[in-house]
Amino acid sequence: MLVKTRGIVLNFIKFRETSIITRIYTEQLGLQNYIVNSVRKKGPGARIALFQPLTLLDMVVYTSPRGGLTRISEYKCSYPFTSIPFNTRKSSIVLFLSEILTYTIQEEEENLPLFGFLYDSIVYFDCQEQGFSNFHLFFLLQLAHYLGFGPTSGADITSQVAFSVGTATQSRGSVLHFQMFEAYFDALLQSSEEVFMNSKVRKELLLILIRYYQLHVEKLGEIKSLQVLSEVLSD
């Protein structure tokens, strides 16, 4: 059976000589894995650029009642990026967010509100010309609501993270430390992406948010792209 759907590429791994297995979050079918042949071959026919993180696709895909790996019958870019591939800061943020989404989205079923949020957020991010250094923080806070553990306030985040560190003495010290960042989270939660902060504060907020996600997402471990993102955004 063939299904027409939009999709958001999360990642891919190499498969055999010129093929890939790609993980794509689709509008109609949720999370799916597809084999795509001959996209890594050299020359003008190579289409591997269409499977870079968070690329937006229009697709016609095969489905199977048994599940598992299937194939894509037709695919094309549904929204050509104008800035993300050409801006180091943006491409680093996209790589980080795609890794987070790979861990947090697991459902093989339709979720139109979540898909719409992701698709619209990616397009919006590509269109931003400046003032996007906090986008990943704002995105993670919004995403948490679609995943079912959205915080209601900055204190909600910092208290959970602080009391996850261990002993009561450590927790009291952590609470005092994290309370310094509650106002930033509150501002971001009020849909104010352009909150003024320096790179040190931005890095601390991200570390707190990742720990918050780890408390709610099973098997969310080390984020490999975090170091690169931190270095890029500290410039």
Side-chain angles (χ1 to χ4, degrees), residues 68-135:
L69 284 172
T70 54
R71 295 181 181 272
I72 304 176
S73 174
E74 303 173 25
Y75 61 91
K76 64 180 181 179
C77 183
S78 65
Y79 172 83
F81 289 142
T82 60
S83 67
I84 289 175
F86 316 108
N87 185 301
T88 302
R89 286 173 173 258
K90 284 192 172 185
S91 58
S92 297
I93 290 173
V94 160
L95 183 62
F96 166 77
L97 293 180
S98 68
E99 186 175 357
I100 291 290
L101 292 172
T102 297
Y103 283 114
T104 56
I105 297 180
Q106 301 295 329
E107 295 79 11
E108 297 180 3
E109 58 187 22
E110 177 187 279
N111 186 333
L112 296 181
L114 175 57
F115 183 89
F117 161 73
L118 296 176
Y119 194 99
D120 292 344
S121 295
I122 294 166
V123 172
Y124 167 75
F125 182 50
D126 184 64
C127 292
Q128 282 185 289
E129 296 182 358
Q130 57 185 0
F132 55 80
S133 294
N134 298 334
F135 174 81

Side-chain angles (χ1 to χ4, degrees), residues 10-214:
L10 299 185
N11 58 38
F12 72 84
I13 59 172
K14 296 178 181 179
F15 180 67
R16 295 179 179 170
E17 191 169 338
T18 61
S19 303
I20 62 171
I21 296 175
T22 180
R23 178 169 292 186
I24 299 178
Y25 187 60
T26 72
E27 187 172 19
Q28 303 298 325
L29 304 168
L31 184 66
Q32 297 292 320
N33 294 305
Y34 298 106
I35 297 176
V36 188
N37 294 327
S38 304
V39 292
R40 293 171 45 233
K41 63 182 181 181
K42 297 180 180 179
R47 306 188 70 189
I48 192 63
L50 291 179
F51 296 93
Q52 299 307 307
L54 302 194
T55 299
L56 306 175
L57 298 177
D58 285 328
M59 305 184 297
V60 178
V61 300
Y62 291 98
T63 63
S64 170
R66 297 187 300 272
L69 284 172
T70 54
R71 295 181 181 272
I72 304 176
S73 174
E74 303 173 25
Y75 61 91
K76 64 180 181 179
C77 183
S78 65
Y79 172 83
F81 289 142
T82 60
S83 67
I84 289 175
F86 316 108
N87 185 301
T88 302
R89 286 173 173 258
K90 284 192 172 185
S91 58
S92 297
I93 290 173
V94 160
L95 183 62
F96 166 77
L97 293 180
S98 68
E99 186 175 357
I100 291 290
L101 292 172
T102 297
Y103 283 114
T104 56
I105 297 180
Q106 301 295 329
E107 295 79 11
E108 297 180 3
E109 58 187 22
E110 177 187 279
N111 186 333
L112 296 181
L114 175 57
F115 183 89
F117 161 73
L118 296 176
Y119 194 99
D120 292 344
S121 295
I122 294 166
V123 172
Y124 167 75
F125 182 50
D126 184 64
C127 292
Q128 282 185 289
E129 296 182 358
Q130 57 185 0
F132 55 80
S133 294
N134 298 334
F135 174 81
H136 56 302
L137 301 174
F138 184 74
F139 179 93
L140 290 179
L141 289 170
Q142 298 300 311
L143 175 63
H145 286 279
Y146 289 92
L147 298 176
F149 55 88
T152 58
S153 66
D156 190 15
I157 299 170
T158 58
S159 61
Q160 290 187 47
V161 172
F163 284 98
S164 71
V165 300
T167 67
T169 300
Q170 288 175 320
S171 297
R172 285 194 294 271
S174 297
V175 169
L176 293 175
H177 170 73
F178 291 140
Q179 282 178 342
M180 296 187 298
F181 303 100
E182 288 179 6
Y184 292 103
F185 283 125
D186 285 333
L188 289 167
L189 285 167
Q190 293 168 9
S191 299
S192 179
E193 182 187 336
E194 296 184 7
V195 181
F196 177 77
M197 63 183 75
N198 59 37
S199 60
K200 183 177 180 180
V201 170
R202 187 177 296 112
K203 180 178 180 180
E204 187 71 25
L205 293 177
L206 181 57
L207 292 175
I208 295 170
L209 263 181
I210 290 175
R211 179 55 184 156
Y212 179 76
Y213 263 69
Q214 289 171 336

